[in-house]
Amino acid sequence: MKGTLESMVERSWSKLNTTDLRTFNIGEDSLLVGMQLSKKTAPLSKGDKPCIVLSIGAYEEDAAASIINKPSTSRTEIQSSTYAPPVNQEYLDDEAFLCIYDDHILISPAAKLRAGAAIRFLEKLLHKGGYKRESTLMDAQQIADMDAIKTIQREGVKNISINAYAYISSIERLKRTNSSHITHLDKLTNWMKSGLDYLRDDDTDADILEKEGLNTRIVISHDGRASGLHVKDGQKHATDTAKLLASSDACGYTITTRSDKKLTHEDTILKSNVNVVPHGKSVDRESMWTELVLCLVNYENQGVLAK
């Protein structure tokens, strides 16, 4: 790649120097716009290092907002109506905030602007900004929450429930991004696909999932009441499979530990909770950017960031 992700994003943003040039359609009538970018300094272990922070907005073009009257003691019913956005303005559906240092990305997503959409925005930004090859090679990998991995290891696994549609769809998405971190799931993926083979003719995985809506759920479980010389092997296989899933970017699974704690993909990725000042339906931009830089510093101090 031509430099780090940080430098390529900064150059692309500078080249696409109007908000119109930084607006991209990501499907389902939703548009993403690069709203603002700023440079910050992070006090890392090797000294003060520059990083960039940016915000991305999601909106629907010319979409009206639904409004209702306030509850009243004199009304028995409420009917909704619509309110068009002011001239040359749009209603902001959601806003995501990012901090990029070197090749590391910290994302504060929103309900209608998840991390995957933010990554797609970056890919489109790089492609349009002159980094076409680099945009196709971009492989964003989420960091696993080691506390969740330790919980799986400590408690053991009662069962793993995998939704074939969600799981295979996530694997196909990761393959399109040339992810090299799903090969360790090949055995499990082939097993999931074989479960669908009995229910189809010669359709591809994409065909059967998209056109027919066919779905199946596979449950991997371990009988804790079992006894015998190799009973520990079965529990180890279940635990190892759960740890593989939790360490990957695959989705569509629910891991239930032996203490009945349930862990999904959202529970097994590294994240931090922060308190920021509200700003309408979003949050104060500067407050969030400050918190993201603090998270970057904390993760670096904890040795979480890859060297």
Side-chain angles (χ1 to χ4, degrees):
M1 286 192 177
K2 300 177 183 178
T4 64
L5 176 64
E6 177 188 351
S7 64
M8 289 189 291
V9 168
E10 187 174 0
R11 290 172 192 151
S12 297
W13 193 286
S14 178
K15 183 178 180 179
L16 306 173
N17 58 4
T18 66
T19 53
D20 179 68
L21 291 173
R22 297 194 303 270
T23 299
F24 306 105
N25 192 321
I26 62 167
E28 298 181 359
D29 299 322
S30 184
L31 295 167
L32 297 186
V33 55
M35 296 174 63
Q36 191 171 344
L37 180 147
S38 181
K39 295 181 181 180
K40 300 291 183 181
T41 299
L44 302 180
S45 60
K46 294 183 179 180
D48 291 348
K49 299 293 182 181
C51 62
I52 58 174
V53 289
L54 57 130
S55 61
I56 305 169
Y59 70 95
E60 291 183 35
E61 190 171 15
D62 299 325
S66 296
I67 59 174
I68 59 173
N69 293 322
K70 290 184 177 181
S72 168
T73 56
S74 62
R75 291 176 179 267
T76 58
E77 294 180 341
I78 295 179
Q79 187 172 0
S80 66
S81 56
T82 59
Y83 190 83
V87 178
N88 295 326
Q89 292 184 317
E90 300 284 4
Y91 290 121
L92 182 67
D93 289 333
D94 248 326
E95 189 174 7
F97 303 87
L98 287 72
C99 174
I100 305 177
Y101 164 68
D102 198 18
D103 286 323
H104 304 292
I105 313 172
L106 275 69
I107 303 176
S108 175
K112 296 182 180 179
L113 211 171
R114 307 302 298 167
I119 295 300
R120 289 199 297 276
F121 171 86
L122 292 180
E123 291 172 347
K124 289 179 177 291
L125 181 78
L126 293 181
H127 187 274
K128 193 173 182 179
Y131 296 99
K132 294 183 179 180
R133 179 175 178 273
E134 287 76 10
S135 69
T136 62
L137 297 175
M138 186 174 170
D139 182 12
Q141 298 141 28
Q142 294 175 318
I143 299 176
D145 186 343
M146 291 311 298
D147 288 339
I149 303 296
K150 290 176 182 177
T151 297
I152 294 170
Q153 181 67 46
R154 182 180 63 254
E155 297 187 7
V157 173
K158 179 182 290 186
N159 63 65
I160 307 168
S161 177
I162 306 176
N163 180 301
Y165 175 84
Y167 175 82
I168 293 176
S169 294
S170 69
I171 292 295
E172 293 300 320
R173 172 181 55 80
L174 293 169
K175 284 181 178 178
R176 288 195 297 272
T177 60
N178 299 310
S179 176
S180 59
H181 292 257
I182 58 173
T183 54
H184 60 286
L185 292 173
D186 282 350
K187 187 175 181 179
L188 179 62
T189 301
N190 291 335
W191 183 26
M192 293 294 294
K193 289 181 178 180
S194 69
L196 296 176
D197 285 341
Y198 295 102
L199 304 172
R200 64 183 179 189
D201 296 321
D202 298 320
D203 291 329
T204 65
D205 297 320
D207 287 339
I208 196 167
L209 292 176
E210 179 180 353
K211 297 178 181 178
E212 299 181 23
L214 184 63
N215 192 20
T216 185
R217 185 177 297 274
I218 292 179
V219 178
I220 304 169
S221 63
H222 179 262
D223 188 351
R225 300 168 299 175
S227 61
L229 295 175
H230 302 292
V231 67
K232 290 184 178 180
D233 292 340
Q235 177 57 229
K236 183 177 184 301
H237 287 320
T239 300
D240 288 347
T241 301
K243 288 165 63 179
L244 282 176
L245 284 168
S247 302
S248 74
D249 285 339
C251 302
Y253 63 84
T254 301
I255 299 166
T256 304
T257 68
R258 296 179 72 176
S259 66
D260 287 328
K261 182 176 294 182
K262 295 186 183 298
L263 300 170
T264 66
H265 174 66
E266 289 295 320
D267 301 313
T268 57
I269 58 175
L270 185 65
K271 53 185 176 291
S272 299
N273 294 321
V274 297
N275 293 317
V276 290
V277 179
H279 181 73
K281 287 191 174 182
S282 184
V283 295
D284 180 74
R285 184 175 300 146
E286 284 295 335
S287 297
M288 180 54 77
W289 281 349
T290 298
E291 291 295 339
L292 284 173
V293 174
L294 289 176
C295 285
L296 173 69
V297 174
N298 290 335
Y299 287 155
E300 198 257 356
N301 289 337
Q302 295 168 19
V304 171
L305 303 184
K307 301 295 188 282

